[in-house]
Amino acid sequence: MARPRKPLLSTDRIVETARDLVDREGLAAVSTRRLAAELGVSGPSLYNHFRTKDEILEAVADSVSGLVDLSMFEDGREWRTALHDWAVSYRSALRDHPNIVPVLARGPGRRPAALRLADAVYGAMVDAGWPPAQATSIGALMRYFIMGSALGSFAGGFVDDASAYDPADYPHLGQAHLLADQQEKIDERAFETGLTALLDGLAQQYRQQVREGA
């Protein structure tokens, strides 16, 4: 009986396996030796696709950027609505793959999907009437906000032990031990609150800019 054929090694398969490994165990778990074992191949075979571990992590990061929806910048949505919908999609991608955020935070570098993302946001803001310098700043501040929200959970950072919050020391944290149980709800609400406040501020600047330009 013929032996079952192993799946062909490909760039996509390496990236998918590496992404799964990062999701499960974090960045430190990734090495060419570990990846080769996960893929069932010899270590040197990986070098036909990637020269270094860093190149693999860059590809994993770009694969996550590629999950972000950009259609809102192409279908005629008003700039504020487009930014909101994009931010929600971006955060969703990062929330599903939080361990890769430190690599993404380095900036787009030469990553194609990340560069397409930056290009889409900047282009949409300029097309909406924002001056180029302000469009750049909007892309930057949105990135700071979205990535910051994905780096960790505010609610999840509180322990569920009421004795940790002695009212003599922390008179306003009497319910803090309950936060972890509502982690997702609290974090989602905080993200939407911050995003709305950020977009409200930008909208005010935009109206002022239009008035001054009239």
Side-chain angles (χ1 to χ4, degrees):
M1 180 181 296
R3 294 182 181 179
R5 295 178 62 187
K6 291 182 179 179
L8 292 176
L9 188 62
S10 66
T11 298
D12 288 346
R13 185 169 169 238
I14 294 170
V15 171
E16 182 179 351
T17 301
R19 186 174 62 219
D20 289 344
L21 183 57
V22 171
D23 288 345
R24 294 195 317 267
E25 300 182 33
L27 295 171
V30 179
S31 67
T32 53
R33 178 179 296 180
R34 176 69 185 279
L35 263 181
E38 293 274 332
L39 289 159
V41 300
S42 63
S45 63
L46 295 178
Y47 297 118
N48 293 323
H49 301 270
F50 295 99
R51 291 175 297 176
T52 65
K53 167 187 169 179
D54 285 343
E55 282 191 1
I56 295 171
L57 291 177
E58 286 288 308
V60 170
D62 210 40
S63 74
V64 173
S65 293
L67 300 174
V68 181
D69 184 13
L70 300 177
S71 65
M72 64 285 297
F73 298 120
E74 302 167 353
D75 61 12
R77 268 173 263 188
E78 184 261 345
W79 69 266
R80 175 182 170 143
T81 301
L83 273 184
H84 174 277
D85 296 347
W86 166 72
V88 170
S89 177
Y90 199 175
R91 180 172 179 265
S92 178
L94 299 188
R95 186 182 54 199
D96 289 343
H97 306 281
N99 291 335
I100 199 64
V101 172
V103 179
L104 285 163
R106 298 172 190 167
R110 297 178 181 272
R111 292 184 244 117
L115 289 171
R116 284 193 294 271
L117 187 155
D119 181 74
V121 175
Y122 176 79
M125 295 306 100
V126 171
D127 289 346
W130 287 97
Q134 286 180 281
T136 299
S137 296
I138 290 170
L141 72 89
M142 293 295 291
R143 180 170 167 272
Y144 298 152
F145 175 70
I146 296 164
M147 287 197 176
S149 74
L151 283 173
S153 165
F154 171 81
F158 292 85
V159 299
D160 62 0
D161 179 4
S163 67
Y165 309 103
D166 188 328
D169 296 320
Y170 315 109
H172 305 295
L173 297 182
Q175 301 296 307
H177 64 288
L178 302 176
L179 293 177
D181 286 339
Q182 304 179 58
Q183 176 178 329
E184 184 173 353
K185 178 181 178 180
I186 292 170
D187 290 345
E188 287 294 328
R189 187 172 62 212
F191 178 76
E192 280 293 339
T193 298
L195 181 58
T196 298
L198 190 158
L199 294 174
D200 282 348
L202 286 177
Q204 183 176 349
Q205 289 183 34
Y206 188 79
R207 289 192 294 270
Q208 181 178 349
Q209 173 185 291
V210 171
R211 286 196 300 269
E212 291 175 351

